Amino acid sequence: RSDAAVFSTLVEAFTGSEANVLISTGKHFAADSFGTLPANIAVRPWVNQPEILRQAALFVSHGGLNSVHDSLYRGVPMLVVPQQAEQTLNGLRVAELGAGLLLKPGQFNADSVRSRAAQIMGDARFKTAAQRMGDTLRAAGGAVKAADEVEALLQNG
């Protein structure tokens, strides 16, 4: 599926929802390319993902490692919609940890997005698992600790 089709499916899935939805499209798609959007959906070419995740209840993502890390670090459960094999593996791990669900490409449509999002939002176990993973990631020291470890390895060669 093309990115445009993915974004259009997300708009369709959340139209009429009580949720406020923010879709980040990248620089290739303007908000007006999706027609008139419902009041609960906003489309932006870029967002500050870590800042948005501080307020989010759910993250629908392709499942890239950075996105998975950002989401779990902040304790936000995920609906992973992979576009590549590596992202599928990340989504399988998110699901295995109980921190979200995976929608494989053949399962991706507005109805499945809507129902899986409702499932995640309606079951506190997903949020609890995501928060548990976030606690673990934060306790490990995050990016600062990782950078310190890399620098120590380089200095001690």
Side-chain angles (χ1 to χ4, degrees):
R1 297 182 65 124
S2 71
D3 286 343
V6 169
F7 297 135
S8 294
T9 299
L10 293 174
V11 169
E12 180 184 349
F14 292 108
T15 293
S17 167
E18 293 181 16
N20 289 316
V21 177
L22 176 59
I23 299 173
S24 176
T25 61
K27 62 184 176 183
H28 302 292
F29 302 97
D32 60 6
S33 64
F34 300 100
T36 302
L37 294 169
N40 69 310
I41 298 176
V43 174
R44 302 285 184 270
W46 181 87
V47 298
N48 183 327
Q49 183 169 290
E51 287 302 316
I52 295 298
L53 287 170
R54 291 183 204 281
Q55 305 168 51
L58 173 67
F59 186 25
V60 179
S61 170
H62 64 297
L65 194 55
N66 186 59
S67 294
V68 170
H69 180 267
D70 282 353
S71 189
L72 295 180
Y73 188 86
R74 285 159 185 84
V76 178
M78 302 185 72
L79 176 57
V80 179
V81 182
Q83 305 297 304
Q84 301 174 20
E86 167 255 337
Q87 297 163 349
T88 299
L89 294 174
N90 294 338
L92 286 168
R93 184 65 176 145
V94 166
E96 180 183 320
L97 293 168
L101 296 172
L102 170 68
L103 260 181
K104 294 180 181 173
Q107 302 169 319
F108 181 72
N109 58 58
D111 289 335
S112 63
V113 169
R114 190 179 307 110
S115 67
R116 299 282 170 84
Q119 181 182 353
I120 294 168
M121 297 298 295
D123 187 338
R125 291 178 292 184
F126 291 105
K127 176 72 173 170
T128 299
Q131 288 174 327
R132 186 173 53 249
M133 289 306 306
D135 292 345
T136 300
L137 290 168
R138 288 186 303 280
V144 172
K145 177 70 171 169
D148 289 345
E149 292 293 324
V150 169
E151 286 179 359
L153 284 171
L154 292 172
Q155 288 175 359
N156 298 324

